[in-house]
Short mmCIF file of all heavy atoms in Angstrom, two decimals:
data_model
loop_
_atom_site.label_atom_id
_atom_site.label_comp_id
_atom_site.label_asym_id
_atom_site.label_seq_id
_atom_site.Cartn_x
_atom_site.Cartn_y
_atom_site.Cartn_z
N LEU A 1332 -7.83 5.95 0.66
CA LEU A 1332 -8.66 5.21 1.73
C LEU A 1332 -9.06 6.10 2.81
O LEU A 1332 -10.27 6.05 3.19
CB LEU A 1332 -7.75 4.01 2.30
CG LEU A 1332 -8.43 3.15 3.29
CD1 LEU A 1332 -9.56 2.35 2.61
CD2 LEU A 1332 -7.34 2.14 3.76
N THR A 1333 -8.20 7.03 3.29
CA THR A 1333 -8.55 7.96 4.41
C THR A 1333 -9.09 9.26 3.97
O THR A 1333 -9.58 9.94 4.84
CB THR A 1333 -7.28 8.10 5.23
OG1 THR A 1333 -6.33 8.92 4.49
CG2 THR A 1333 -6.74 6.82 5.75
N LYS A 1334 -9.00 9.61 2.77
CA LYS A 1334 -9.39 10.98 2.17
C LYS A 1334 -8.50 12.04 2.78
O LYS A 1334 -8.93 13.16 2.88
CB LYS A 1334 -10.85 11.15 2.47
CG LYS A 1334 -11.74 10.13 2.07
CD LYS A 1334 -11.71 9.90 0.65
CE LYS A 1334 -12.75 8.89 0.13
NZ LYS A 1334 -12.34 8.00 -0.91
N ILE A 1335 -7.27 11.75 3.16
CA ILE A 1335 -6.28 12.59 3.65
C ILE A 1335 -5.35 12.95 2.55
O ILE A 1335 -4.85 11.99 1.93
CB ILE A 1335 -5.47 12.13 4.83
CG1 ILE A 1335 -6.47 11.80 6.08
CG2 ILE A 1335 -4.45 13.08 5.33
CD1 ILE A 1335 -5.92 11.04 7.16
N SER A 1336 -5.03 14.22 2.31
CA SER A 1336 -4.11 14.62 1.25
C SER A 1336 -2.77 14.00 1.40
O SER A 1336 -2.30 13.94 2.57
CB SER A 1336 -3.97 16.13 1.35
OG SER A 1336 -2.95 16.62 0.50
N THR A 1337 -2.15 13.54 0.30
CA THR A 1337 -0.83 13.06 0.38
C THR A 1337 0.18 14.06 1.00
O THR A 1337 1.08 13.59 1.70
CB THR A 1337 -0.24 12.56 -0.97
OG1 THR A 1337 -0.30 13.74 -1.87
CG2 THR A 1337 -1.08 11.45 -1.48
N ARG A 1338 -0.03 15.29 0.75
CA ARG A 1338 0.95 16.31 1.32
C ARG A 1338 0.90 16.21 2.89
O ARG A 1338 1.95 16.48 3.53
CB ARG A 1338 0.82 17.67 0.80
CG ARG A 1338 -0.52 18.32 1.31
CD ARG A 1338 -0.63 19.70 0.73
NE ARG A 1338 -1.96 20.18 1.21
CZ ARG A 1338 -2.37 21.39 0.88
NH1 ARG A 1338 -1.72 22.19 0.14
NH2 ARG A 1338 -3.53 21.79 1.47
N TYR A 1339 -0.30 15.98 3.35
CA TYR A 1339 -0.46 15.90 4.84
C TYR A 1339 0.11 14.62 5.42
O TYR A 1339 0.79 14.65 6.38
CB TYR A 1339 -1.80 16.04 5.34
CG TYR A 1339 -2.42 17.48 5.10
CD1 TYR A 1339 -3.78 17.62 4.73
CD2 TYR A 1339 -1.67 18.61 5.26
CE1 TYR A 1339 -4.35 18.83 4.55
CE2 TYR A 1339 -2.26 19.83 5.00
CZ TYR A 1339 -3.49 20.01 4.54
OH TYR A 1339 -4.06 21.20 4.42
N LEU A 1340 -0.09 13.57 4.66
CA LEU A 1340 0.54 12.23 5.17
C LEU A 1340 2.05 12.30 5.14
O LEU A 1340 2.72 11.82 5.92
CB LEU A 1340 0.01 11.14 4.22
CG LEU A 1340 -1.51 10.79 4.36
CD1 LEU A 1340 -1.89 9.79 3.34
CD2 LEU A 1340 -1.73 10.28 5.76
N ILE A 1341 2.59 12.89 4.00
CA ILE A 1341 4.00 13.14 4.01
C ILE A 1341 4.58 14.07 5.15
O ILE A 1341 5.60 13.78 5.72
CB ILE A 1341 4.41 13.55 2.51
CG1 ILE A 1341 4.15 12.54 1.45
CG2 ILE A 1341 5.95 14.06 2.53
CD1 ILE A 1341 4.28 13.04 0.01
N ALA A 1342 3.81 14.97 5.35
CA ALA A 1342 4.25 15.96 6.48
C ALA A 1342 4.29 15.24 7.86
O ALA A 1342 5.09 15.44 8.60
CB ALA A 1342 3.23 17.18 6.58
N ILE A 1343 3.28 14.37 8.08
CA ILE A 1343 3.21 13.56 9.35
C ILE A 1343 4.45 12.60 9.30
O ILE A 1343 5.08 12.49 10.29
CB ILE A 1343 1.91 12.82 9.37
CG1 ILE A 1343 0.72 13.79 9.64
CG2 ILE A 1343 1.94 11.75 10.43
CD1 ILE A 1343 -0.68 13.16 9.58
N GLU A 1344 4.70 11.96 8.18
CA GLU A 1344 5.78 11.02 8.10
C GLU A 1344 7.12 11.82 8.45
O GLU A 1344 7.97 11.14 9.12
CB GLU A 1344 5.88 10.39 6.77
CG GLU A 1344 7.02 9.45 6.57
CD GLU A 1344 7.10 8.85 5.19
OE1 GLU A 1344 6.56 9.30 4.26
OE2 GLU A 1344 7.85 7.84 5.08
N GLN A 1345 7.22 13.03 7.93
CA GLN A 1345 8.40 13.77 8.15
C GLN A 1345 8.47 14.55 9.52
O GLN A 1345 9.38 15.24 9.78
CB GLN A 1345 8.72 14.71 6.94
CG GLN A 1345 8.94 14.01 5.64
CD GLN A 1345 8.97 14.96 4.50
OE1 GLN A 1345 8.59 16.20 4.58
NE2 GLN A 1345 9.41 14.50 3.38
N GLU A 1346 7.42 14.38 10.20
CA GLU A 1346 7.21 15.13 11.49
C GLU A 1346 7.24 16.66 11.30
O GLU A 1346 7.82 17.36 12.20
CB GLU A 1346 8.17 14.60 12.61
CG GLU A 1346 7.89 13.21 12.99
CD GLU A 1346 8.70 12.82 14.21
OE1 GLU A 1346 9.18 13.69 14.97
OE2 GLU A 1346 8.88 11.58 14.38
N ASP A 1347 6.78 17.13 10.21
CA ASP A 1347 6.64 18.50 9.84
C ASP A 1347 5.34 19.00 10.12
O ASP A 1347 4.59 19.37 9.32
CB ASP A 1347 7.07 18.74 8.31
CG ASP A 1347 7.35 20.24 8.12
OD1 ASP A 1347 7.08 21.08 9.07
OD2 ASP A 1347 7.49 20.59 6.97
N PHE A 1348 4.95 18.98 11.46
CA PHE A 1348 3.55 19.25 11.83
C PHE A 1348 3.16 20.71 11.64
O PHE A 1348 1.93 20.95 11.55
CB PHE A 1348 3.44 18.92 13.40
CG PHE A 1348 3.82 17.48 13.75
CD1 PHE A 1348 4.90 17.31 14.62
CD2 PHE A 1348 3.20 16.41 13.14
CE1 PHE A 1348 5.28 15.95 14.84
CE2 PHE A 1348 3.50 15.05 13.37
CZ PHE A 1348 4.55 14.85 14.32
N ALA A 1349 4.10 21.61 11.46
CA ALA A 1349 3.75 22.96 11.18
C ALA A 1349 2.97 23.05 9.80
O ALA A 1349 2.31 24.02 9.55
CB ALA A 1349 4.92 23.88 11.20
N ARG A 1350 3.17 22.11 8.88
CA ARG A 1350 2.48 22.19 7.59
C ARG A 1350 1.06 21.69 7.58
O ARG A 1350 0.33 21.80 6.66
CB ARG A 1350 3.30 21.23 6.66
CG ARG A 1350 4.69 21.81 6.18
CD ARG A 1350 5.32 21.22 5.04
NE ARG A 1350 4.71 20.08 4.53
CZ ARG A 1350 5.38 18.99 4.06
NH1 ARG A 1350 6.77 19.01 4.05
NH2 ARG A 1350 4.81 17.87 3.61
N LEU A 1351 0.64 21.15 8.71
CA LEU A 1351 -0.74 20.75 8.96
C LEU A 1351 -1.60 21.90 9.37
O LEU A 1351 -1.21 22.84 10.02
CB LEU A 1351 -0.83 19.63 9.94
CG LEU A 1351 0.02 18.29 9.50
CD1 LEU A 1351 0.25 17.40 10.64
CD2 LEU A 1351 -0.76 17.60 8.32
N PRO A 1352 -2.90 21.78 9.00
CA PRO A 1352 -3.82 22.89 9.38
C PRO A 1352 -3.98 23.27 10.82
O PRO A 1352 -4.16 24.41 11.13
CB PRO A 1352 -5.18 22.42 8.76
CG PRO A 1352 -4.94 21.24 7.87
CD PRO A 1352 -3.67 20.65 8.29
N SER A 1353 -3.92 22.23 11.68
CA SER A 1353 -4.10 22.49 13.05
C SER A 1353 -3.72 21.15 13.83
O SER A 1353 -3.54 20.13 13.29
CB SER A 1353 -5.59 22.86 13.38
OG SER A 1353 -6.42 21.75 13.29
N ARG A 1354 -3.64 21.36 15.12
CA ARG A 1354 -3.26 20.17 16.07
C ARG A 1354 -4.51 19.21 15.99
O ARG A 1354 -4.15 18.02 15.87
CB ARG A 1354 -3.23 20.78 17.51
CG ARG A 1354 -3.04 19.66 18.52
CD ARG A 1354 -3.07 20.28 19.94
NE ARG A 1354 -3.07 19.23 20.91
CZ ARG A 1354 -1.92 18.83 21.58
NH1 ARG A 1354 -0.77 19.40 21.29
NH2 ARG A 1354 -2.04 17.82 22.42
N VAL A 1355 -5.65 19.66 15.88
CA VAL A 1355 -6.79 18.70 15.87
C VAL A 1355 -6.78 18.03 14.58
O VAL A 1355 -7.02 16.66 14.49
CB VAL A 1355 -8.14 19.47 15.94
CG1 VAL A 1355 -9.37 18.64 15.72
CG2 VAL A 1355 -8.22 20.18 17.38
N HIS A 1356 -6.42 18.59 13.44
CA HIS A 1356 -6.31 17.92 12.17
C HIS A 1356 -5.26 16.83 12.31
O HIS A 1356 -5.41 15.66 11.83
CB HIS A 1356 -6.07 18.90 11.02
CG HIS A 1356 -7.22 19.63 10.59
ND1 HIS A 1356 -7.50 20.80 11.06
CD2 HIS A 1356 -8.09 19.33 9.51
CE1 HIS A 1356 -8.59 21.19 10.47
NE2 HIS A 1356 -8.96 20.35 9.54
N CYS A 1357 -4.10 17.19 12.78
CA CYS A 1357 -2.90 16.38 12.91
C CYS A 1357 -3.24 15.06 13.64
O CYS A 1357 -3.03 13.98 13.25
CB CYS A 1357 -1.76 16.99 13.53
SG CYS A 1357 -0.23 16.12 13.63
N ILE A 1358 -3.96 15.27 14.82
CA ILE A 1358 -4.30 14.10 15.65
C ILE A 1358 -5.34 13.25 14.91
O ILE A 1358 -5.28 12.03 14.86
CB ILE A 1358 -4.83 14.56 17.00
CG1 ILE A 1358 -3.70 15.12 17.73
CG2 ILE A 1358 -5.48 13.29 17.69
CD1 ILE A 1358 -4.16 15.95 19.00
N GLY A 1359 -6.26 13.91 14.24
CA GLY A 1359 -7.33 13.09 13.49
C GLY A 1359 -6.74 12.38 12.32
O GLY A 1359 -7.08 11.19 12.04
#
Side-chain angles (χ1 to χ4, degrees):
L1332 185 63
T1333 62
K1334 308 298 185 222
I1335 300 170
S1336 168
T1337 55
R1338 71 179 180 180
Y1339 293 144
L1340 291 171
I1341 292 168
I1343 290 168
E1344 179 182 18
Q1345 296 173 346
E1346 294 190 21
D1347 190 0
F1348 304 119
R1350 289 191 354 216
L1351 297 164
S1353 69
R1354 175 187 172 97
V1355 171
H1356 282 89
C1357 186
I1358 293 166

